[in-house]
Amino acid sequence: MVVSLVLLGVFFAITGFVNSRYHATQAALGGHWYARGVAALKANQPLKAVDAFHTALVYSRDNSAYELQLAEALVESDRLNEAEVYLRTLWVREPGNGTVNLELARLAARRSDVPDAIRYYHNAVYGVWDSDPIVHRRETRMELCEFLLAKKERTQAESELIAIVANLPPDAALHAKVGGMFLQVQDYPRALQQFQQALKLKPKVKGAWAGAGEAAYQTGDYAEAYRYLQKAVAESSSDLQAAQQLEMCKLILSLDPFGRRLSQRERIRRTLAAFDQAVARVKQCAQNLGVNFQAKQPNTPIEDVYAKAKKMQPKVNERSLRRDPDLISNVMDLVFQMEEQAERSCGLLPDPDRALLMIARTRGATER
Amino acid sequence: MTDPASTNTENTPPPASYPPKGWTAFLPWLKKIRPPRLFLHEEGLFLLLAVIIGLFSGLAVVCFQIAIDWTRIRLLGSALDPTPLRLLLVPALAGLCVAIMVIHFFPQVRGSGVNQTKAAVYIYDGYIPFSTVIGKFLTCSLAIGSGQSLGPEDPSLQMGAGIASALGRRLHLSREKVRLIAPVGAAAGLAAAFNAPISAVLFVIEEVIGKWTAGVLGAIVLSAVSSVMVLRVFLGEQPLFRVPPYHLAHPAELIAYAILGVIGGIASLMFAKLVCYLRPRLKALPRWTHYVQPAAAGLLIGIIGIWLPQVMGAGYDFIDQALHDQFTWKLLIFLAFFKIIATSLSFSSGTPGGMFAPTLFIGAMIGGAVGGVEHILFPHLGGTVGGFALVGMGVLFAGFLRVPMTSVFMVLEVSGNYSIILPVMIANTIAYLISLKYQPVPLFDMFSRQDGTDLPSMEEQRETGTLQVEDAMRPPAEVVLRAEEPVAEAIRKTSGSPHEFFLVSHRSGDWTGVTKEALRGLAKEGKGDSPLARVLPGKLLPWLHPDQPLDVALRQIGDWPLIPVIHRADFNNLQGVIALSDILAAYGAATGKAYRSKVSLQPSGPQAALGSE
């Protein structure tokens, strides 16, 4: 028995020695094949990388880093199902791993599985990251926002964006990016805020002037929009959208009778011009529709607004408007009604009419 | 417990150079140390020894697995797909070396380790030469490492059994214990090879010893646990396979699993038939061909390996990949098919190695293929290919190796997922029944018959129904007397009966017996009015219940001409009677039937013509 125990001890020692050498060799081989896989991935040879990572895993089983790389290589090779199986295995082992959750979220996003993608993105946001957790979490949330925007889930995207803003570092490009996303979810005030923040940090940040201009334009602050858009166009003359918006801003600012710091005379002049413009537009629209204004009773909405205009026309002159400044509002209300009706009945409007309509909407929003 | 030669050395003075110098000189010195008089009798020693066997076996299996890996890396390179030149040369040349080693140095290592362990238990009083352990280690490392399509579990099992046998002999255990110790080592070896102690224990009980007795079970469990512990200390905690998460997505998936059971059963049959066909024929070829058979098998496998390197070696890494859905279903079918061919060639050529790993490989591939097809045809079911591959392993285990219990527990143990139990049970049962129906003789029994031995078949034991008392008893047509009846009444009742012996029922539920002659004697003595209970001698008859085994009846009947068979809940309710002649007649009928069935199952053709190896 004693001899057996001694032999057992000797056997243990020998096995321990052999085993340590074995593990060292295995680890070295695993590392070797892993490095080959990484190099193949960098050289855009995902199939080679898959083979290399498979081999690396033979020598270093349960190495999460290798498995993760293998999954990424499989994704690169468009073998999504296989990648997902590995990722799910990893997920079972480390359900809180940020990287694994992010990869699973991306796979779910690729197969348009919105609930799964959101779940894994959220897991990744709140998961464990080996390094730079704050940056990873923010980037993951940004990615989630982009996914939600692509899937037209604006409300969810907006709440994610609000969460991002809470922890945004002083980085102009980031603010501009977030501003752009706010534009996409049509949260224009927050978008403007982000662009303004970006411009404050770095006036030359790409797209920030145009973004700020658009955000201001959409909120109806055409004067501010004009200022930003001017800079945007000066910065990038090829930005057609900014140029168009700038033109529209110019037009709006030149037509708006409610603009600030306008003389009484100018205000009246603009009102009269707007009225004439709207009446002409309604007449043209009626002509296109074949409507006859000679009828005693108005039968269509366009006839109705025209009748109102006819009724008001005697009062619409410089003298009456000077005498009764409140009349300007009444006239402009009718102008807006005519333009809206014309748009509803005849579709797209020429620029001056569109400008009047936008003034109407901004004014309506302000009054509301 | 101690070496008998050392028992009277206690009083001899130590040698002049005490303690001796040089480590080799310590061995005789160590032998002379008298171990403390342990309070262990043989039962306790047996359990302690089981632990030591487990430790030794675990270490041996660790070294064995390292040796296989090391050989593979040295001979075939570290890549998963070796170069064609290596694929053609290495398995063939290694096969030649293995053949020389087997023929000239280790002739015992050829064949199934399971059967050799069984032979040790039932034929050689537990004796397995230690050279078998060394031979298995060397030849199997070389064969499996060079790419022969064989697995390390069967050799591990035999190495464990060999180590146990050597230790048992060294410690002068009784013959009965030495005979039992080989399965203890076998369980340890298999447990370490699978990293699955429950499956190993079940396998040894199901296939090697075939019975559950507390003493043996305890030793087997202890050895299996200690060997797995050693393995995990050295090679890590991870199971044999990394199993992806599984859940039964839809009950309709069970139909697909049932289909997997059918396909797996058919594949098991094909595999078993091919091995049983090839093995005796290759063995019957002239002796010189035995040198080249493993080399030829290696060459063919190398050729297959040029296109399908996955079929080479044990294939665990590729099982892992199949579990992770890394192959298309068409490739999986190819892999299963060529693995059957490669393994049949390797094993039948006499290359030492086991068939457990190839069985798992084939099962995983077939399972994965069925899963892949299901995924294409019924994507809404959402089943995972990994789940099918896992169940497939159990299916082949049940169908090919014919160990239904082990196959279920192995899948559970390997997956660590209880939710897979339903598919496993369904698929394994179907595969097992198909195999049972079309291949009546299990694989291991067939091997033993091909080798000219008749080892006890555990499946036969399981399948053969035990004779019960109800199979032999007669209906209680005889007159039954009541203990309260007077003697005269009893004489009147029995006078018309042709029988001599009558049962007497007591209110207490006891039974006694009386002969006609005894009744007449009592009447002559003037006790005709006395109740039987008062005048009969107090010796009670033994009784039986209909469901008891017939051998209990044989033990109970003694000299009694007849004993009652009574209801378990009403002892006065006589269900039948049984006499020695009835028991013998029942045994006679059963033996005749068994003999006829055995004769009909005897292998014919080359198998029958062959003697032992």
Side-chain angles (χ1 to χ4, degrees), chain A residues 1-23 25-26 29 32-33 36 50-63 67 70 74 79 81-93, chain B residues 1-2 27 30-31 33-36 38 45 48-49 52 55-57 59-60 62-63 65-66 69-70 72-74 77-81 163 167 170-171 229-230 233-236 238-245 317 320-321 323-327 375:
Chain A
M1 180 63 99
V2 174
V3 174
S4 304
L5 291 174
V6 170
L7 278 177
L8 189 61
V10 172
F11 201 5
F12 250 107
I14 293 170
T15 309
F17 173 71
V18 171
N19 186 59
S20 66
R21 293 285 306 273
Y22 171 72
H23 280 299
T25 313
Q26 296 285 95
L29 282 171
H32 166 74
W33 283 100
R36 282 178 75 156
V50 167
D51 285 344
F53 290 131
H54 269 311
T55 315
L57 277 169
V58 168
Y59 299 108
S60 193
R61 278 185 59 182
D62 291 335
N63 186 318
E67 277 182 305
L70 171 60
L74 286 166
R79 290 158 67 180
N81 287 343
E82 288 120 296
E84 189 167 357
V85 177
Y86 271 103
L87 288 170
R88 283 191 190 278
T89 312
L90 276 170
W91 191 86
V92 169
R93 213 181 305 149
Chain B
M1 180 172 160
T2 53
L27 283 175
L30 283 170
K31 283 182 184 175
I33 295 176
R34 184 173 178 162
L38 294 175
L45 178 66
L48 177 64
L49 191 58
I52 294 172
L55 297 176
F56 267 115
S57 302
L59 291 170
V62 169
C63 291
Q65 292 196 353
I66 290 174
D69 266 4
W70 184 85
R72 186 180 58 79
I73 292 165
R74 293 284 157 195
S78 64
L80 284 179
D81 47 348
I163 289 170
L167 278 170
R170 178 78 187 78
L171 295 174
M229 191 197 73
V230 168
V233 164
F234 287 107
L235 295 184
Q238 65 266 48
L240 201 54
F241 308 108
R242 293 168 306 152
V243 179
D317 302 319
D320 186 274
Q321 288 187 26
L323 286 168
H324 288 86
D325 195 8
Q326 299 295 292
F327 303 120
H375 209 64

Side-chain angles (χ1 to χ4, degrees), chain B residues 80-320:
Chain B
L80 284 179
D81 47 348
T83 58
L85 186 68
R86 283 192 189 216
L87 287 172
L88 292 176
L89 287 180
V90 169
L93 291 177
L96 196 62
C97 294
V98 167
I100 293 167
M101 285 162 79
V102 169
I103 292 169
H104 289 284
F105 305 105
F106 308 108
Q108 311 90 333
V109 303
R110 194 181 157 130
S112 156
V114 175
N115 274 358
Q116 285 171 15
T117 306
K118 275 168 83 172
V121 175
Y122 298 105
I123 301 174
Y124 304 115
D125 286 335
Y127 178 77
I128 297 174
F130 194 70
S131 62
T132 307
V133 178
I134 296 166
K136 275 276 174 186
F137 188 98
L138 295 176
T139 55
C140 291
S141 304
L142 186 55
I144 300 168
S146 68
Q148 292 272 6
S149 178
L150 294 164
E153 297 83 8
D154 188 276
S156 301
L157 178 148
Q158 202 182 352
M159 285 194 293
I163 289 170
S165 171
L167 278 170
R169 294 196 308 274
R170 178 78 187 78
L171 295 174
H172 300 287
L173 293 182
S174 66
R175 194 169 130 181
E176 187 204 343
K177 292 290 179 202
V178 172
R179 197 185 299 145
L180 281 177
I181 213 160
V184 172
L190 190 61
F194 265 138
N195 194 359
I198 301 173
S199 309
V201 168
L202 278 175
F203 181 82
V204 168
I205 287 170
E206 204 171 16
E207 190 52 46
V208 181
I209 52 176
K211 60 184 174 187
W212 299 80
T213 57
V216 179
L217 183 65
I220 287 176
V221 168
L222 281 176
S223 70
V225 168
S226 44
S227 73
V228 169
M229 191 197 73
V230 168
L231 182 97
R232 289 183 182 177
V233 164
F234 287 107
L235 295 184
E237 294 268 327
Q238 65 266 48
L240 201 54
F241 308 108
R242 293 168 306 152
V243 179
Y246 167 83
H247 68 279
L248 187 67
H250 194 280
E253 262 201 296
L254 291 176
I255 297 168
Y257 282 107
I259 293 168
L260 170 59
V262 174
I263 295 172
I266 294 167
S268 305
L269 271 179
M270 276 173 54
F271 190 19
K273 296 270 183 201
L274 186 59
V275 174
C276 292
Y277 175 83
L278 271 182
R279 190 170 178 263
R281 280 166 178 79
L282 291 182
K283 224 161 85 173
L285 291 175
R287 187 176 157 77
W288 67 267
T289 63
H290 291 195
Y291 284 95
V292 290
Q293 281 183 22
L299 183 66
L300 288 172
I301 291 163
I303 291 170
I304 296 173
I306 293 174
W307 291 278
L308 297 170
Q310 295 92 338
V311 301
M312 300 183 76
Y316 286 140
D317 302 319
F318 299 105
I319 294 176
D320 186 274

